[in-house]
Amino acid sequence: MVLESLGDLLQLVLVAVLVYPALVVILRVSGKRTLSKLNAFDLVVTVALGSTLATILLSRDVSLAEGVLALALLVGLQYLVAVLAVRWPPSQRLIKSQPTLLLRDGRLRHQSMRRVRVAESEIRQAARSQGVGDIADVAAVVLESDGSLSVITRSRFGDGSSLADVRDEQR
């Protein structure tokens, strides 16, 4: 079944030509945050947008209007959740995870590492990617709410105020 019908291909092209600009407009109106990867919720919305777009393009059961409405609803709900998180800080506990301290003053925090399932080799890799040859030279490694590892060297640690919102199980 290489080519079922020319009509199906033309319909796919037409729908793509119409829905793609609609998606671009929706994303531009919603702002940069919509496609950010600030937390797991943002990632889920991005994946859902891709899945919805694929469904619109490939399913005969979804009309163009329904598809565009679904895209707008996903973006709108993500926008509302982001506004809620900014205007009512307690909601952030439900929406995103708290950063976790995995290394402090060159010492690994094994309990924290086990809880968030990060291996020592991943911490060493993050240190190397920042040009650090010895983890003893690292003031802190933080697993951020977006899943990335932040490495703060002793020379750039300053007063440590950037760690104020970080979960530290050994405090």
Side-chain angles (χ1 to χ4, degrees):
M1 232 194 274
V2 176
L3 180 63
E4 205 166 303
S5 80
L6 188 57
D8 289 343
L9 293 178
L10 290 174
Q11 179 183 352
L12 175 65
V13 169
L14 178 63
V15 170
V17 166
L18 294 173
V19 79
Y20 184 76
L23 179 60
V24 170
V25 168
I26 291 168
L27 293 175
R28 291 291 294 154
V29 168
S30 68
K32 296 176 185 176
R33 171 69 189 254
T34 303
L35 290 180
S36 71
K37 54 179 186 170
L38 294 177
N39 59 55
F41 182 75
D42 294 327
L43 174 65
V44 168
V45 170
T46 302
V47 171
L49 285 171
S51 176
T52 303
L53 180 61
T55 300
I56 296 166
L57 293 175
L58 300 175
S59 176
R60 291 180 167 265
D61 297 332
V62 178
S63 72
L64 182 61
E66 290 171 328
V68 171
L69 178 60
L71 291 171
L73 281 171
L74 283 171
V75 170
L77 290 171
Q78 195 274 346
Y79 179 83
L80 289 175
V81 168
V83 168
L84 178 67
V86 170
R87 296 201 177 149
W88 190 51
S91 69
Q92 289 184 16
R93 286 188 306 244
L94 297 172
I95 298 166
K96 65 182 193 175
S97 62
Q98 185 177 11
T100 303
L101 188 64
L102 302 177
L103 180 143
R104 179 72 187 255
D105 298 324
R107 292 194 174 132
L108 294 167
R109 309 270 177 139
H110 293 286
Q111 182 180 351
S112 296
M113 291 167 55
R114 276 191 299 275
R115 187 178 58 74
V116 296
R117 300 177 311 279
V118 172
E120 183 176 338
S121 61
E122 294 169 308
I123 293 173
R124 292 184 186 283
Q125 177 186 6
R128 286 191 304 272
S129 72
Q130 296 297 311
V132 177
D134 185 352
I135 63 169
D137 296 331
V138 176
V141 173
V142 176
L143 176 63
E144 301 293 353
S145 59
D146 69 353
S148 64
L149 292 173
S150 294
V151 177
I152 305 168
T153 59
R154 291 188 190 280
S155 63
R156 295 186 176 168
F157 189 64
D159 66 358
S161 62
S162 68
L163 299 179
D165 65 334
V166 174
R167 179 179 179 161
D168 184 2
E169 295 175 352
Q170 294 185 4
R171 275 189 205 164

